[in-house]
Amino acid sequence: MVDLQGQYLKIKEELDNAMQRVIDSTAFIRGEDVRKFETELSAYLGVNHTIACGNGTDALQLAMMALELQPGDEVLTTPFTFIATVEVIRLLGLKPVFVDVKPDTFNLDPEQLEQVVSPRTRAIVPVHLFGQCADMESIMEFARSHGLYVIEDNAQALGADFLPANGLKQKAGTIGHMGCTSFFPSKNLGAFGDGGSLFTNDESFARRVASLANHGMQVRYHYDHVGVNSRLDTIQAAILRIKLKHLDEYHRLRQKAAAWYDNTLSGLDGIQVPARSPFSTHIFHQYTLLVELTRRDALKAFLLEKGIPSQIYYPLPLHLQKAYKDLGYREGDLPVSEELCHKVLSLPMHTELEETQLEYISDQVHKFFKS
Ligand SMILES: *Cc1c(COP(=O)(O)O)cnc(C)c1O
């Protein structure tokens, strides 16, 4: 699905030197690369503040903590995402309320917000799934008119451009009150271990999050809030500083692979290639097909037999997960997400895909549907 080794080898010397530099300095925690990475990521995103932290899940949790919500307050989000989005809401004693997604872009459907908003609703967490932005214009308008916070889960779309109607593009994750991302190794900007960041244009949120990530400390050994320990290792920051310079090139390589898949697979009976949102670029964290009902698992098995990995993101929507049963959802409550779980299949997508590999993969998909 990914080729982290190929990507590493291309810039091995630069990365090895950066890691060695951190080891020589022994400034493993809060070393200067962390601050420099925060500044460089802020500049890349065009946002005022970036706070690095331990991973993407922590970034989401820190954002939710910074809102200072009350137990039982409701947060609207999608059930068609990675579990972290919902886990942190639950862990903080808040109540996730699910909103179904659009069948084409897989992103939160803003038209369904009205049906679930209540006097207890405090925030919306849109997820920019697979590499393109949710309909942030509609979501922000709804949030403004109901006095809600917006936290963007941007773990899969770091660097994608949000394209609003006014033509003033913004980076994904910088539109709401706070945005969160992950540097898990397989993400578009991947570290050599765990890492994450939160970004915001709001100075008071930035200060609160920086303090919460450091045990709620403001003045040394004086604690104003109950915080957590969530930091980005200096070694990871040094690696990410180098990889950030290549991020746009990584996106371009993914887009090139996606265009290849599109050209060879669109029009094939039985599958749909990924839809493009009109208000976002697509950086293809995943290249996800919709396969006709009942044939998806057979296609996956066929590809595996031919030596081609593929993945189902996601096989079960979050409202039907055992751990979240007490929220009271049933099958049929969020029909679009439920159907997608039976139809989606993600093909190999990374920066090192060669034409011969892409050709082989698409040939095999053709063979499956023609046999
Ligand atoms: C990867 C991911 C996260 C969590 O990131 P970690 O760094 O693994 O904690 C959260 N949300 C989404 C949508 C993700 O894809």
Side-chain angles (χ1 to χ4, degrees):
M1 291 298 288
V2 295
D3 179 3
L4 299 179
Q5 190 169 38
Q7 196 186 56
Y8 165 58
L9 290 176
K10 277 189 184 154
I11 50 172
K12 176 174 168 17
E13 204 179 310
E14 221 184 332
L15 290 167
D16 290 355
N17 289 342
M19 287 187 277
Q20 190 60 51
R21 194 170 36 69
V22 175
I23 295 167
D24 290 340
S25 79
T26 68
F28 298 117
I29 303 285
R30 296 167 82 89
E32 71 169 0
D33 282 289
V34 177
R35 197 179 29 82
K36 285 186 176 162
F37 173 64
E38 289 174 337
T39 306
E40 287 159 9
L41 186 58
S42 289
Y44 175 82
L45 293 172
V47 72
N48 291 344
H49 309 278
T50 294
I51 296 108
C53 62
N55 54 65
T57 308
D58 280 0
L60 287 162
Q61 181 177 330
L62 288 162
M64 296 310 298
M65 288 171 78
L67 298 180
E68 302 191 311
L69 304 181
Q70 297 304 310
D73 281 351
E74 295 174 5
V75 179
L76 310 182
T77 192
T78 143
F80 193 63
T81 175
F82 181 59
I83 190 71
T85 319
V86 170
E87 185 177 67
V88 301
I89 298 170
R90 210 60 222 278
L91 273 174
L92 295 173
L94 309 169
K95 184 178 171 200
V97 173
F98 293 110
V99 183
D100 216 346
V101 296
K102 308 268 270 187
D104 53 354
T105 60
F106 318 139
N107 278 325
L108 190 147
D109 182 355
E111 281 177 24
Q112 302 198 29
L113 288 167
E114 197 65 62
Q115 299 153 33
V116 291
V117 73
S118 87
R120 296 288 320 252
T121 309
R122 295 289 177 270
I124 310 175
V125 183
V127 180
H128 304 316
L129 204 72
F130 300 156
Q132 61 183 349
C133 294
D135 179 356
M136 288 304 289
E137 212 155 4
S138 307
I139 291 168
M140 291 309 291
E141 196 179 295
F142 185 88
R144 265 190 296 272
S145 68
H146 291 77
L148 307 176
Y149 293 113
V150 176
I151 310 291
E152 298 171 70
D153 181 340
N154 195 31
Q156 300 188 5
L158 184 73
D161 286 319
F162 168 57
L163 311 167
N166 66 12
L168 301 172
K169 67 181 180 187
Q170 283 169 279
K171 287 288 183 195
T174 67
I175 304 137
H177 296 85
M178 286 175 267
C180 301
T181 204
S182 162
F183 307 122
F184 186 83
S186 64
K187 298 282 154 84
N188 286 35
L189 180 60
F192 288 1
D194 276 310
S197 271
L198 181 149
F199 13 90
T200 182
N201 283 311
D202 182 304
E203 201 188 329
S204 61
F205 280 139
R207 253 193 266 125
R208 205 176 302 164
V209 168
S211 160
L212 287 169
N214 189 29
H215 301 289
M217 184 166 88
Q218 232 130 28
V219 176
R220 204 175 180 88
Y221 301 125
H222 292 73
Y223 307 96
D224 299 348
H225 303 278
V226 177
V228 296
N229 171 15
S230 184
R231 297 184 281 239
L232 182 69
D233 290 341
T234 312
I235 278 198
Q236 302 301 347
I239 291 163
L240 290 166
R241 286 184 67 203
I242 290 163
K243 292 185 81 178
L244 178 61
K245 289 189 274 178
H246 298 275
L247 186 59
D248 285 339
E249 172 68 4
Y250 291 161
H251 293 337
R252 204 185 56 72
L253 291 165
R254 287 171 179 272
Q255 285 161 345
K256 203 172 143 206
W260 179 284
Y261 280 139
D262 276 358
N263 286 336
T264 53
L265 298 179
S266 57
L268 189 60
D269 244 8
I271 53 171
Q272 265 170 268
V273 300
R276 305 297 199 276
S277 155
F279 31 69
S280 178
T281 58
H282 201 325
I283 57 163
F284 290 98
H285 175 60
Q286 298 296 343
Y287 185 91
T288 304
L289 297 173
L290 283 175
V291 186
E292 68 183 8
L293 273 180
T294 74
R295 299 206 71 186
R296 193 263 316 265
D297 293 350
L299 172 61
K300 187 175 193 303
F302 177 86
L303 291 175
L304 192 63
E305 220 170 86
K306 307 291 176 191
I308 301 166
S310 62
Q311 280 296 340
I312 298 166
Y313 304 115
Y314 297 93
L316 186 65
L318 301 188
H319 66 286
L320 300 180
Q321 298 285 347
K322 192 170 156 197
Y324 297 83
K325 228 175 166 166
D326 60 326
L327 293 172
Y329 286 94
R330 298 201 177 165
E331 214 169 319
D333 286 344
L334 296 144
V336 177
S337 297
E338 290 168 28
E339 185 170 329
L340 288 175
C341 289
H342 294 290
K343 289 173 124 181
V344 287
L345 190 66
S346 299
L347 295 179
M349 173 50 73
H350 53 83
T351 56
E352 311 305 310
L353 280 166
E354 285 165 17
E355 284 193 6
T356 49
Q357 294 175 304
L358 291 161
E359 201 168 64
Y360 178 69
I361 296 166
S362 58
D363 281 354
Q364 297 307 320
V365 175
H366 273 266
K367 270 206 188 117
F368 174 82
F369 284 104
K370 295 207 169 125
S371 61

